[in-house]
Amino acid sequence: MTTLQDLLDPQLDRSFKGFPHNSGPVRRSDMGKQGWNVLKGDLPLPLAIVKQSAMKHNLGWMQRFAKGQGVDMAPHGKTTMSPQLLKRQLDEGAWGLTFATVAQMRAGITAGAQRLLIANQVVNAVDLAGIQGMLREYPGLRIVFLVDSRAQLALIETWSRANAAAVVSPFEVLMEIGVMGARTGVRNQADAMALAAALHASPACRLVGIETYEGQGATGDSAADKAYADTLMQRVCDIALACDQQGLFDSDEVLMTAGGSAIFDLVSGWLTPKLSKPVRGLLRSGCYITHDHGNYKRLVGSVNARLHDSDGLKPAIEVWATVQSCPEPGLAILAVGRRDLSYDLELPIPLSSVNAAGSTPVAAPADWKISALNDQHAYLRGEGPEHAALRVGDMVALGISHPCTTFDKWRWMPVVDENYTVCDALVTCF
């Protein structure tokens, strides 16, 4: 039988990609005792690693930011799906955890979360039953999910009537406010107020707050992003105020939540409007824990400028690969590909290289580019002498863009110190 300890401190072995071929099984908590070093070739490549110091910095930075804004954190756990990292976020002071599906919530419960948000619509009977089952299995657990239509509410009510004996309590829900052309969410105030009234009147649900997601509109242009965020959040606050005035909220405390990992600073100040009931603002950023070297680095660069902060989030995740062939001038083939790192937003970014003898990493020149990826190959192109000096067997570190779609390619990742010595490990539950 799998215990909680097995999930937080699992045993890793050679069935895990990136684990040493000739090592016996090792408990996660014993990983730092092995003396393994990435640069010395102690672990097979490709290998995704997390840098301990940068991750620790990011955890503290984001929690301090939220506190300074007068809001709480409910980090999005779908980014890492790692019980070890989710527990770190809770230990740092997170109010709760966010997930995208009912199944994902198991990782949050494993990490010790008592408050769980599903930042998505729940519509299927099996998922509604799953939520009620979790509430029954874990007394004191709180689960809140999104509703954005009367059609969804009708499905919830139908299930609740048919399964009255299985209902521990009415479903707690947040009404989602959306943006034209984007994903889910009510598009206008009239429809929002009609839905809020229906939710309040429904015996199957309790309306406990308002949710939105601003991330799809982020551009990195501060003026444009501020105008966009202000327009959206003003609409969200107007709807919250109208719901409050009409007595439509069914809880003692109103939850107001937004905040991806791109323009969280532009929405955080809107999450505590003055209502007749206490309001708890919740930021749901997830990618901040490891950040990246691409999309979020660019977008959060604008956040840093707006905050006048020169010590903001730091990239903590890298993927190391071996040069396996230098078949023609200006091209080196790395043994890493789509099975190992993200490529949905942009291709990986060369960061540094180490020769086959395991020297100190040397920063990659600006002309180095990954031009294409196959399943297990990356095309590293360059024109300068540094690229020409690459040899088969050398190692190259790649930065990624979008942590979510790198984490899901690994069952484990070593956590390393500043010398790339393994000091801990994490596992994922995708």
Side-chain angles (χ1 to χ4, degrees), residues 14-170:
R14 289 173 290 183
S15 70
F16 287 68
K17 177 175 68 173
F19 191 87
H21 301 307
N22 296 318
S23 170
V26 178
R27 281 279 177 189
R28 183 204 62 81
S29 57
D30 291 331
M31 200 63 65
K33 302 174 184 178
Q34 308 308 307
W36 294 333
N37 185 279
V38 176
L39 304 185
K40 293 179 180 178
D42 294 331
L43 299 98
L45 304 186
L47 184 68
I49 62 95
V50 174
K51 303 178 86 168
Q52 182 185 51
S53 60
M55 180 177 66
K56 181 178 180 181
H57 168 85
N58 294 345
L59 284 163
W61 188 94
M62 184 58 88
Q63 197 65 41
R64 289 191 299 274
F65 169 81
K67 184 176 181 180
Q69 296 292 305
V71 300
D72 286 302
M73 291 295 300
H76 212 316
K78 73 175 175 61
T79 297
T80 69
M81 284 299 292
S82 168
Q84 294 78 34
L85 297 188
L86 298 174
K87 186 175 186 303
R88 287 285 301 273
Q89 290 171 310
L90 291 169
D91 290 346
E92 198 69 32
W95 174 87
L97 295 172
T98 300
F99 294 95
T101 69
V102 175
Q104 289 177 356
M105 287 195 302
R106 289 286 179 185
I109 294 171
T110 297
Q114 287 289 300
R115 306 181 188 98
L116 301 160
L117 303 183
I118 303 177
N120 220 343
Q121 281 67 34
V122 178
V123 298
N124 294 327
V126 67
D127 287 331
L128 295 169
I131 290 174
Q132 291 294 337
M134 290 180 188
L135 294 176
R136 187 164 48 252
E137 184 178 357
Y138 300 99
L141 194 67
R142 185 180 188 189
I143 299 173
V144 184
F145 63 87
L146 309 188
V147 175
D148 73 346
S149 69
R150 295 289 294 271
Q152 181 192 359
L153 175 58
L155 290 173
I156 297 169
E157 291 177 328
T158 297
W159 183 89
S160 295
R161 286 193 298 269
N163 297 274
V167 175
V168 176
S169 61

Side-chain angles (χ1 to χ4, degrees), residues 120-314:
N120 220 343
Q121 281 67 34
V122 178
V123 298
N124 294 327
V126 67
D127 287 331
L128 295 169
I131 290 174
Q132 291 294 337
M134 290 180 188
L135 294 176
R136 187 164 48 252
E137 184 178 357
Y138 300 99
L141 194 67
R142 185 180 188 189
I143 299 173
V144 184
F145 63 87
L146 309 188
V147 175
D148 73 346
S149 69
R150 295 289 294 271
Q152 181 192 359
L153 175 58
L155 290 173
I156 297 169
E157 291 177 328
T158 297
W159 183 89
S160 295
R161 286 193 298 269
N163 297 274
V167 175
V168 176
S169 61
F171 293 101
E172 289 194 279
V173 300
L174 301 171
M175 182 168 61
E176 180 173 29
I177 307 304
V179 176
M180 290 297 293
R183 293 194 308 218
T184 50
V186 184
R187 289 334 199 218
N188 60 68
Q189 184 157 344
D191 288 346
M193 296 310 300
L195 177 58
L199 289 168
H200 175 65
S202 174
C205 296
R206 296 177 62 238
L207 180 61
V208 299
I210 306 290
E211 183 273 353
T212 194
Y213 174 62
E214 78 292 341
Q216 285 186 288
T219 66
D221 180 307
S222 286
D225 288 346
K226 186 176 187 307
Y228 161 77
D230 286 351
T231 298
L232 171 60
M233 297 308 297
Q234 183 65 66
R235 183 158 62 95
V236 168
C237 288
D238 288 346
I239 291 170
L241 181 60
C243 288
D244 182 54
Q245 290 172 340
Q246 295 181 33
L248 301 180
F249 289 122
D250 302 311
S251 56
D252 294 334
E253 177 184 73
V254 177
L255 302 182
M256 295 285 292
T257 175
S261 297
I263 54 172
F264 51 86
D265 63 312
L266 296 179
V267 299
S268 58
W270 291 90
L271 294 178
T272 52
K274 294 187 181 302
L275 304 180
S276 65
K277 296 182 176 184
V279 176
R280 184 178 299 275
L282 296 173
L283 281 178
R284 303 192 312 275
S285 311
C287 293
Y288 74 90
I289 191 168
T290 60
H291 200 40
D292 70 12
H293 288 89
N295 182 62
Y296 286 115
K297 181 179 181 180
R298 176 176 62 85
L299 292 171
V300 176
S302 297
V303 174
N304 294 338
R306 291 192 292 268
L307 297 177
H308 305 289
D309 188 339
S310 60
D311 192 35
L313 299 175
K314 302 178 185 300

